[in-house]
Amino acid sequence: MSARILSIGTAVPPTTIEQHDIRDFFISQAGGDRLAQRLVRATFDAADIDTRHTVLPELGKAGSAALDGLFVDDRGLLRSPGTGLRNAEYMRHAPALSNDAARTAMQDAGVEASAITHVVTASCTGCYAPGPDFRIVRDLGLAPTTERYHLGFLGCAAAFPALRLADRICAAQPGSVVLVVCTELCSLHIRPSSSPDQIVASSVFADGAAAAIVTGVADGDVRGGLEIQRFATTITEDGEADMAWTIGDDGFEMVLTGEVPRIIGREIRGAVDGFLLGEPVDTWAVHPGGRSILDRVQTGLDLDPSALRTSRAVLREHGNMSSATILFILERMLRDDAIAAGATIAGLAFGPGLTVESALLTKLPAPSATPTAAPAVRDHELAGAA
């Protein structure tokens, strides 16, 4: 029995950042350093991002009346809180965002809380125990016997390993219903810096959560979704020092050098050819680590510009939400009537290492207006939960 992604739910924090406002905010942090100011302006303007979301309300006030908050002082200057304070904010905000995305996925699938057998979470922007996986079980009313697994520090590529684990669970234990949740609060690790790596990180990263329901495809089940065909992992020849994520005294420190797009552009053809083995693809879901990464993938695979339109749209509206981002893209593809039933979707995501994670999916027919099978039962109590 093959497994499929039955539904995907997404959630973002309420504070919206306009890219031009946050650009000017970072330019003001550079003081009189004109070289840093030019680098900030060029990097932010080239990102092809209009808006992002953050759990930090003071960043939404950038360019206007400054708030005296944990990250911005009353003069409008960026603070550098310690890692413990940043992680405390992760503990405060991550559970609610995770729960919101999970509730949406469950409601859209018509899956009751009691039906969930496994929870798989992924995150690289905070850590604590018991963590978001525990809170999902407790807050959403899942059975206390629900199995839980957490994938940490796999970076932007983590959603595909999480889905792969869910697929393996469904194959090993038919009848399983797996809730996968990716939650990233990247803005918690923002910092004042003239480092090109940090300026790039500040120009693209954002906050968000996404959840997916993964279960087996049973005979006569007409609930649609994305059927999982297979996954693959490839470590590139270079890049171990070019994309990294370490824990420092002032937050998690991102290394994201200008070599990353070039490495991806040089090696993406070999990674994809070894994965697809000549199988045709109708559309692509590519993690938008940044505009230049999408450009390199498009060129390296000789894709039509329209092939990455959904990836570019998610980047433009939400920025790079690390592991959650690829699920935002797949959620749009599930709802996109222009992608017909039977279409194959090739997914690509990139993580530290440099690692390429791949997935091949097939879009299943959407449920008909007059169902031929018994309708799914929704969890009405869950829908009304806080």
Side-chain angles (χ1 to χ4, degrees):
M1 178 188 292
S2 61
R4 49 93 180 270
I5 302 169
L6 185 58
S7 65
I8 299 174
T10 62
V12 293
T15 298
T16 301
I17 299 175
E18 299 286 344
Q19 184 77 346
H20 59 84
D21 286 338
I22 200 70
R23 176 203 64 197
D24 293 345
F25 171 74
F26 271 92
I27 288 174
S28 71
Q29 306 302 306
D33 187 340
R34 296 196 176 189
L35 179 60
Q37 290 174 347
R38 287 198 297 269
L39 182 58
V40 169
R41 184 179 298 278
T43 303
F44 277 68
D45 289 349
D48 198 22
I49 294 171
D50 293 336
T51 55
R52 290 180 275 164
H53 295 84
T54 177
V55 295
L56 303 175
E58 58 260 45
L59 291 183
K61 298 292 185 179
S64 61
L67 289 177
D68 187 11
L70 179 62
F71 282 77
V72 181
D73 67 20
D74 56 5
R75 298 170 297 166
L77 296 178
L78 196 59
R79 301 183 193 270
S80 293
T83 302
L85 291 173
R86 296 174 190 261
N87 199 59
E89 290 298 292
Y90 179 88
M91 294 171 63
R92 188 159 73 94
H93 294 288
L97 207 60
S98 300
N99 292 345
D100 285 347
R103 286 190 184 101
T104 299
M106 293 167 65
Q107 291 165 7
D108 287 352
V111 169
E112 295 187 5
S114 59
I116 302 295
T117 58
H118 301 73
V119 170
V120 178
T121 56
S123 185
C124 65
T125 49
C127 52
Y128 65 99
D133 54 319
F134 175 87
R135 289 288 302 272
I136 287 168
V137 170
R138 190 186 70 180
D139 297 348
L140 273 62
L142 275 58
T145 54
T146 303
E147 294 184 21
R148 312 190 321 269
Y149 303 89
H150 180 71
L151 304 181
F153 279 83
L154 293 180
C156 297
F160 284 154
L163 291 172
R164 183 171 59 221
L165 173 57
D167 178 53
R168 302 290 192 267
I169 291 170
C170 290
Q173 299 176 256
S176 297
V177 180
V178 186
L179 173 61
V180 174
V181 184
C182 298
T183 302
E184 305 288 8
L185 305 184
C186 304
S187 67
L188 294 180
H189 303 289
I190 200 169
R191 70 190 66 232
S193 175
S194 58
S195 162
D197 289 355
Q198 187 57 46
I199 290 173
V200 169
S202 299
S203 72
V204 299
F205 281 107
D207 302 346
I213 298 292
V214 180
T215 188
V217 181
D219 292 340
D221 192 333
V222 295
R223 289 183 290 174
L226 300 172
E227 187 172 7
I228 296 171
Q229 303 299 332
R230 61 181 183 270
F231 296 93
T233 299
T234 301
I235 297 176
T236 61
E237 291 292 331
D238 300 308
E240 184 175 353
D242 294 291
M243 184 188 292
W245 195 231
T246 58
I247 299 176
D249 292 336
D250 297 316
F252 296 177
E253 299 174 3
M254 164 61 76
V255 175
L256 189 64
T257 75
E259 287 300 309
V260 170
R262 288 189 281 272
I263 293 169
I264 290 174
R266 184 175 66 244
E267 301 204 25
I268 193 64
R269 171 65 72 177
V272 169
D273 285 351
F275 168 58
L276 291 178
L277 300 174
E279 187 168 340
V281 171
D282 295 305
T283 192
W284 294 80
V286 179
H287 171 71
R291 180 195 56 78
S292 59
I293 288 177
L294 292 179
D295 290 346
R296 294 282 182 160
V297 170
Q298 181 178 319
T299 301
L301 296 179
D302 194 25
L303 300 178
D304 186 272
S306 63
L308 300 182
R309 64 182 178 85
T310 307
S311 295
R312 293 189 188 276
V314 169
L315 176 66
R316 189 174 302 112
E317 296 170 25
H318 296 290
N320 180 351
M321 300 167 286
S322 192
S323 67
T325 318
I326 197 71
L327 291 178
F328 274 69
I329 295 167
L330 292 175
E331 188 272 339
R332 292 192 180 200
M333 291 181 166
L334 264 175
R335 295 188 288 107
D336 188 351
D337 292 337
I339 301 176
T344 55
I345 301 170
L348 299 171
F350 314 102
L354 207 161
T355 305
V356 181
E357 295 285 356
S358 309
L360 187 64
L361 311 166
T362 301
K363 190 170 183 178
L364 296 170
S368 59
T370 304
T372 57
V377 178
R378 294 183 181 270
D379 186 351
H380 295 290
E381 291 185 358
L382 178 62

